[in-house]
């Protein structure tokens, strides 16, 4: 039997790369990205291009079973920000997150592709985030209009809504997966803050644990959130695609609600070679607010979803960091 074919936009990003690699042994994968893909596999075909470019779509396969859309920009990958270049930053969000996504949806519609999965953001729920409520899948948007993620949240949410319209109007199965931060081992340990590279906070904690540096616990140590391994995203994509559902929006969560203190201390236990002597320092004045926890009861009931939880996630990250020799690649062996 011939392999089913999937087309992934944004395949060169961290999530796109991980998901493509995870699917290569069961699907024929076509990947689209603006930078070069590092994936080499007989079942992988890479097409370099920009989703804003109408000519790109002339070079894409149309006989695919599923389109997955990871394409988009957010503050952590933009070389500009509202503080450094307001006009360029706002235009990037509009051009890529709305106009580019619209071109993808038009490609799906015109070629009568039946399945479309959109990686949207949990920033549409930011004003719901609290320490007590497990958020359901289909609450109305409640965007925080302060901070550096405002236009990101607005544009991603708008494109989600446009996709929902396409699904209803043009007989497409549209699934939206609401992503919090996905924990994975990236090619580079840095993200961009106002265009400047900074080590990812969770990787900095892991690095400190490896070197025996005291681990800092910021803000309320009892603040809870979902810590989500990227394999949970892979699982939900596969479950949605192979389900009999007509579509839907699902939170990519764990339902575990881990405290900040537990997260940091579990990193210390798993990554330190002498965990009993690791010291923990509390900084309540360094406030954090990502207390986002998700109700995944429908994911379990409708899709048979079985999430990877905190300890397994950290063990997988450790195994991957070691197997990829990231200590040396990132200069952590110094």
């Amino acid at each position: 039997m011939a392999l089913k074919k999937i087309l992934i936009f944004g395949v060169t990003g961290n999530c796109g790369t991980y998901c493509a690699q995870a699917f290569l042994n069961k699907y024929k994968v076509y990947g689209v990205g603006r930078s070069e893909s590092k994936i080499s596999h007989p079942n992988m075909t890479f097409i370099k291009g920009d989703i804003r470019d109408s000519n790109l779509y002339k070079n894409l396969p149309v006989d695919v079973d599923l389109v997955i859309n990871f394409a988009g920009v957010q503050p952590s990958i933009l070389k500009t920000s509202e503080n450094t270049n307001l006009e360029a930053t706002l235009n990037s969000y509009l051009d890529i997150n709305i106009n580019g996504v619209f071109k993808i949806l038009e490609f799906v519609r015109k070629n009568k592709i039946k399945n479309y999965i959109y990686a949207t953001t949990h920033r549409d729920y930011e004003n719901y985030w609290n320490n007590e409520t497990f958020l359901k899948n289909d609450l109305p948007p409640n965007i925080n209009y302060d901070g550096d993620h405002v236009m990101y949240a607005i544009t991603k949410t708008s494109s989600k809504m446009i996709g929902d319209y396409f699904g209803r109007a043009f007989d497409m199965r549209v699934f939206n997966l609401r992503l919090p931060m996905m924990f994975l081992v990236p090619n580079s340990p840095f993200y961009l803050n106002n265009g400047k590279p900074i080590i990812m906070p969770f990787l900095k904690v892991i690095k400190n644990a490896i070197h025996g540096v005291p681990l800092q616990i910021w803000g309320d140590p009892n603040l809870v959130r979902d810590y989500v391994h990227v394999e949970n995203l892979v699982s939900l994509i596969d479950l949605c695609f192979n389900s009999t559902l007509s579509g839907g929006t699902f939170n990519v969560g764990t339902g575990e609600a881990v405290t900040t203190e537990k997260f940091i201390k579990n990193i210390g236990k798993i990554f330190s070679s002498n965990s009993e002597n690791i010291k923990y320092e509390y900084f309540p004045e360094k406030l954090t607010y990502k207390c986002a926890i998700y109700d995944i009861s429908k994911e379990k009931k409708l899709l048979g979803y079985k999430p990877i939880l905190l300890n397994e996630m950290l063990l997988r990250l450790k195994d991957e960091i070691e197997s990829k020799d990231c200590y040396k690649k990132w200069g952590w062996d110094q």
Side-chain angles (χ1 to χ4, degrees):
M1 182 181 293
L3 294 177
K4 289 184 178 180
K5 301 175 182 178
I6 63 175
L7 173 60
I8 301 177
F9 289 91
V11 78
T12 53
N14 287 329
C15 286
T17 296
Y18 189 98
C19 289
Q21 290 173 326
F23 289 139
L24 281 169
N25 289 325
K26 60 189 302 186
Y27 302 121
K28 170 65 178 173
V29 178
Y30 298 90
V32 177
R34 286 193 288 175
S35 56
E36 293 293 339
S37 174
K38 297 180 180 179
I39 302 173
S40 178
H41 192 280
N43 288 338
M44 174 73 180
T45 300
F46 175 69
I47 304 105
K48 188 174 183 179
D50 190 314
I51 62 171
R52 296 169 292 182
D53 182 3
S54 297
N55 290 320
L56 165 68
Y57 300 91
K58 300 174 184 177
N59 300 319
L60 301 181
V62 299
D63 60 334
V64 297
D65 301 286
L66 168 66
V67 167
I68 305 171
N69 184 7
F70 290 115
V73 291
Q74 59 181 307
S76 63
I77 65 173
L78 278 176
K79 295 181 179 179
T80 63
S81 71
E82 283 93 334
N83 294 325
T84 61
N85 191 328
L86 178 62
E87 184 176 356
T89 302
L90 297 183
N91 279 319
S92 291
Y93 286 123
L94 291 169
D95 287 347
I96 298 171
N97 290 359
I98 292 183
N99 294 332
V101 172
F102 179 74
K103 287 181 182 289
I104 292 173
L105 284 164
E106 277 288 84
F107 168 79
V108 173
R109 177 186 69 81
K110 289 177 181 177
N111 292 290
K112 296 181 170 56
I113 299 168
K114 290 298 182 182
N115 300 289
Y116 173 78
I117 295 179
Y118 183 54
T120 189
T121 176
H122 76 155
R123 291 280 179 170
D124 65 337
Y125 272 13
E126 191 166 341
N127 281 337
Y128 291 126
W129 294 354
N130 64 66
N131 226 37
E132 300 170 354
T133 306
F134 286 79
L135 301 173
K136 296 185 180 299
N137 293 316
D138 294 312
L139 297 170
N142 198 355
I143 293 170
N144 177 12
Y145 286 91
D146 295 314
D148 65 349
H149 278 69
V150 181
M151 279 299 289
Y152 170 64
I154 291 170
T155 52
K156 291 288 287 188
T157 304
S158 298
S159 285
K160 172 192 173 295
M161 295 170 72
I162 295 169
D164 286 336
Y165 159 67
F166 268 61
R168 179 166 295 190
F170 306 119
D171 192 29
M172 295 159 44
R173 286 207 314 161
V174 172
F175 293 95
N176 302 293
L177 298 181
R178 181 177 286 109
L179 274 59
M181 176 181 170
M182 293 288 105
F183 284 80
L184 50 72
V185 178
N187 286 324
S188 167
F190 301 104
Y191 75 104
L192 298 181
N193 185 354
N194 287 323
K196 297 180 180 179
I198 297 174
I199 188 170
M200 296 179 184
F202 87 96
L203 289 178
K204 184 176 181 180
V205 177
I206 289 173
K207 180 182 179 182
N208 287 343
I210 291 167
H211 289 105
V213 176
L215 301 186
Q216 298 184 359
I217 298 172
W218 288 12
D220 178 1
N222 294 313
L223 182 145
V224 296
R225 62 181 281 192
D226 273 10
Y227 292 90
V228 186
H229 190 269
V230 69
E231 191 64 34
N232 291 330
L233 172 60
V234 172
S235 174
L236 277 173
I237 290 172
D238 211 28
L239 290 168
C240 287
F241 177 39
N242 290 295
S243 75
T244 58
L245 300 178
S246 60
T249 297
F250 296 103
N251 299 319
V252 184
T254 68
E256 191 177 14
V258 174
T259 67
T260 302
E261 184 177 51
K262 181 177 179 180
F263 175 64
I264 299 297
K265 288 189 173 181
N266 281 29
I267 288 178
K269 291 176 184 176
I270 289 172
F271 284 90
S272 173
S273 60
N274 192 7
S275 60
E276 293 182 358
N277 291 328
I278 282 279
K279 294 182 180 179
Y280 298 92
E281 299 175 345
Y282 291 79
F283 292 85
E285 72 281 5
K286 294 186 176 182
L287 298 180
T288 59
Y289 67 103
K290 291 184 179 180
C291 44
I293 49 178
Y294 292 101
D295 181 342
I296 57 168
S297 57
K298 283 193 174 181
E299 288 82 340
K300 290 181 176 180
K301 181 179 179 180
L302 297 177
L303 296 167
Y305 174 55
K306 297 177 181 178
I308 290 170
L309 302 180
L310 176 67
N311 264 23
E312 185 179 352
M313 178 186 87
L314 293 176
L315 289 170
R316 288 188 180 213
L317 293 177
K318 182 180 181 181
D319 287 345
E320 192 172 353
I321 286 172
E322 291 176 351
S323 67
K324 290 183 175 179
D325 200 15
C326 291
Y327 299 140
K328 183 176 181 181
K329 184 169 69 172
W330 296 341
W332 289 9
D333 57 347
Q334 304 298 318

